[in-house]
Amino acid sequence: MSKPIGFFTSYTPGDISLLGALQEDYGSTLEKMSKREKLFLVFAIAAQLCDQAPGRCREEIYVVGHQINSSLPPADREGLVEALINQVRWGRSLGDTEVLPMK
């Protein structure tokens, strides 16, 4: 079952904000958006956050991305997006100065 956007963000009912407008226009779980629209927003937000993150990607990560998109079924790709978002928000990552060797 989906949770409301306030579960994931700083939004609280009654706030006059972009998050409040999103909830009012598209529902508390964004149920008034199509799957394609939700995926577009994931893409747009992730692209912006990636551009703002320090460092750069290892070349092998581009290969991994291609392998994921060409080999995994949609349900597994959706699950991997969920896992990655969880790790971005709550997990451990390499620090700005740590670099793993290329494979």
Side-chain angles (χ1 to χ4, degrees), residues 19-71:
L19 293 173
L22 284 172
Q23 180 164 304
E24 185 175 319
D25 293 346
Y26 302 104
S28 65
T29 60
L30 304 176
E31 67 273 9
K32 295 177 188 172
M33 283 186 188
S34 70
K35 184 174 188 173
R36 184 180 182 97
E37 292 167 335
K38 292 172 190 176
L39 288 168
F40 174 81
L41 291 179
V42 168
F43 164 76
I45 294 165
Q48 173 92 28
L49 290 171
C50 182
D51 285 346
Q52 294 174 348
R56 58 185 200 78
C57 289
R58 291 170 277 160
E59 290 296 320
E60 69 194 67
I61 300 304
Y62 295 101
V63 174
V64 171
H66 176 73
Q67 291 170 334
I68 288 166
N69 284 324
S70 63
S71 300

Side-chain angles (χ1 to χ4, degrees), residues 1 4-5 9 11 13-14 27 31 44 49 51 55 57-59 64-65 72 75 87 96-97:
M1 180 174 194
I5 60 175
T9 66
Y11 173 75
E31 67 273 9
L49 290 171
D51 285 346
C57 289
R58 291 170 277 160
E59 290 296 320
V64 171
L72 291 180
Q87 287 298 310
D96 296 341
T97 58

